[in-house]
């Protein structure tokens, strides 16, 4: 074949030059304004994971809401407090009916003492169960996982239980006092007598329940804590009945004067013995004992394992 002159044989023909393609112009990226981090990014783990659920630091208010949800949703709360109200109001009403309006009563509000004493046993039982039941079922592990601060958990339980017991007991004792005033004949109670028979009795019963809660936190066993509290309430009076010797008169008198039934009767101006604490003094004594035992409960809960 004929080859064009000046072209060496065996070499490929030169391709005509391809016109240069215009390069695509990339838009310039302007740095955007730096966005503030989401609230949950501050709580991201070391690996950089950010939870899609907003995380907020917990405080005592959350623990109080949790304990209020627990105590109002338990059947034991409804039964024990319901029986307490029925005993306090029912026995107070029956005592007023039995006394009648013809006989003069002095002090006028003293007939409500028996109902409050029996109702306090229900509050003691609920105080123990409000914490010991969680140890019995293992629910305390979930509680401490959700709120690792054990002092906060015990504080929330104590505040919620004490407030609930105080409100219900004071309402019941006030209702009994109103019934006694309307149905019985006797000298009108003074302001101090009204306060001790209503608010004072409510505070005393609520403090007994708080003491039971502290004992339940120490023992972590429902039956043991309830038995211990029943012994605190009833055992001094039973021991005093058997101490009849002349040499044991002082011990017998002290057991009666500082027993729970006599202290509660003192708030109604009907003490078992003319000697011993008077007025509001039994309430301050119980408050001091409760503070000491509750402090021991705080120390035990903070140091030991579940």
């Amino acid at each position: 074949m004929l080859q064009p002159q000046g072209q060496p044989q065996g070499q490929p023909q030169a391709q005509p030059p391809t016109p240069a393609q215009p390069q695509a112009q990339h838009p310039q990226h302007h740095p955007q304004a730096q966005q503030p981090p989401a609230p949950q990014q501050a709580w991201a783990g070391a690996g950089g994971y950010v939870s899609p659920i907003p995380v907020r630091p917990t405080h005592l208010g959350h623990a109080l809401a949790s304990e209020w949800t627990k105590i109002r949703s338990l059947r034991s709360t409804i039964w024990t407090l319901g029986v307490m109200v029925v005993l306090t109001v029912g026995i107070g009403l029956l005592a007023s009916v039995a006394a009648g309006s013809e006989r003069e009563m002095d002090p006028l509000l003293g007939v409500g003492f028996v109902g409050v004493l029996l109702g306090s046993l229900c509050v003691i039982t609920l105080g123990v169960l409000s914490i010991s039941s969680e140890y019995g079922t293992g629910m305390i592990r979930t509680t401490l996982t959700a709120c690792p601060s054990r002092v906060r958990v015990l504080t929330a339980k104590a505040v919620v239980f004490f407030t609930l017991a105080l409100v219900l007991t004071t309402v019941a004792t006030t209702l009994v006092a109103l019934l006694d005033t309307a149905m019985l004949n006797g000298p009108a109670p003074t302001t101090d007598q009204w306060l001790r028979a209503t608010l004072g009795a409510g505070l005393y019963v609520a403090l007994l329940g708080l003491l039971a809660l502290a004992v339940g936190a120490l023992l972590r066993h429902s039956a043991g804590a309830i038995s211990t509290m029943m012994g605190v309430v009833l055992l001094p009076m039973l021991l005093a009945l058997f101490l009849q010797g002349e040499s044991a008169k002082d011990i017998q008198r002290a057991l009666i004067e500082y027993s729970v039934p006599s202290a509660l009767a003192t708030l109604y101006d009907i003490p078992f013995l003319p000697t011993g604490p008077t007025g509001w003094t039994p309430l301050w004594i119980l408050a001091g004992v409760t503070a000491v035992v509750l402090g021991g409960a705080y120390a035990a809960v903070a140091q030991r394992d579940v």
Side-chain angles (χ1 to χ4, degrees):
M1 297 179 62
L2 297 178
Q3 300 288 340
Q5 293 183 0
Q7 178 73 20
Q9 188 174 3
Q11 292 189 357
Q13 297 180 1
Q15 299 292 332
T18 305
Q21 300 291 336
Q23 296 182 356
Q25 295 183 357
H26 299 282
Q28 296 182 356
H29 294 278
H30 298 283
Q32 298 179 354
Q34 196 170 11
Q35 299 292 335
Q40 63 268 29
Q41 289 181 355
W43 300 89
Y49 171 75
V50 178
S51 172
I53 304 175
V55 178
R56 295 179 298 172
T58 58
H59 50 76
L60 181 61
H62 297 119
L64 290 173
S66 174
E67 293 303 326
W68 170 244
T69 302
K70 288 180 187 177
I71 198 168
R72 68 184 175 86
S73 59
L74 293 176
R75 293 182 179 178
S76 58
T77 303
I78 299 174
W79 279 105
T80 52
L81 293 183
V83 172
M84 183 273 293
V85 172
V86 170
L87 287 175
T88 303
V89 178
I91 294 180
L93 179 60
L94 290 176
S96 300
V97 172
S101 59
E102 293 81 10
R103 189 172 62 177
E104 183 174 345
M105 303 295 297
D106 188 16
L108 187 66
L109 304 179
V111 295
F113 156 72
V114 178
V116 175
L117 178 61
L118 295 178
S120 66
L121 302 180
C122 300
V123 177
I124 289 172
T125 303
L126 181 61
V128 171
L129 293 178
S130 62
I131 188 168
S132 63
S133 61
E134 292 198 33
Y135 283 101
T137 60
M139 185 66 184
I140 191 66
R141 297 183 179 89
T142 304
T143 300
L144 295 180
T145 300
C147 181
S149 177
R150 302 186 178 193
V151 172
R152 185 187 302 168
V153 170
L154 186 55
T155 301
K157 288 182 178 294
V159 170
V160 169
F161 171 78
F162 180 80
T163 304
L164 180 62
L166 174 61
V167 170
L168 288 181
T169 308
T170 303
V171 169
T173 53
T174 302
L175 182 58
V176 172
L178 292 174
L179 291 173
D180 292 344
T181 306
M183 299 175 62
L184 298 178
N185 182 26
T190 64
T191 302
D192 184 64
Q193 288 176 328
W194 262 101
L195 288 176
R196 282 189 280 114
T198 55
L199 180 61
L203 282 170
Y204 196 90
V205 174
L207 282 174
L208 273 178
L210 189 59
L211 177 61
L213 187 147
V215 172
L218 286 171
L219 299 183
R220 298 182 293 179
H221 191 272
S222 298
I226 292 174
S227 300
T228 300
M229 285 304 302
M230 293 302 170
V232 169
V233 174
L234 302 176
L235 190 59
M237 292 296 299
L238 294 177
L239 289 177
L241 294 177
F242 293 98
L243 294 177
Q244 299 295 335
E246 191 64 30
S247 59
K249 285 294 182 182
D250 293 337
I251 300 177
Q252 183 188 44
R253 184 181 301 107
L255 288 174
I256 296 175
E257 290 174 350
Y258 292 95
S259 65
V260 170
S262 179
L264 192 56
T266 302
L267 294 176
Y268 285 89
D269 283 337
I270 48 172
F272 291 174
L273 295 176
T275 57
T278 58
W280 294 86
T281 305
L283 183 63
W284 311 138
I285 294 175
L286 180 61
V289 173
T290 303
V292 172
V293 178
L294 190 61
Y298 272 110
V301 168
Q303 292 180 1
R304 69 191 178 193
D305 295 333
V306 176

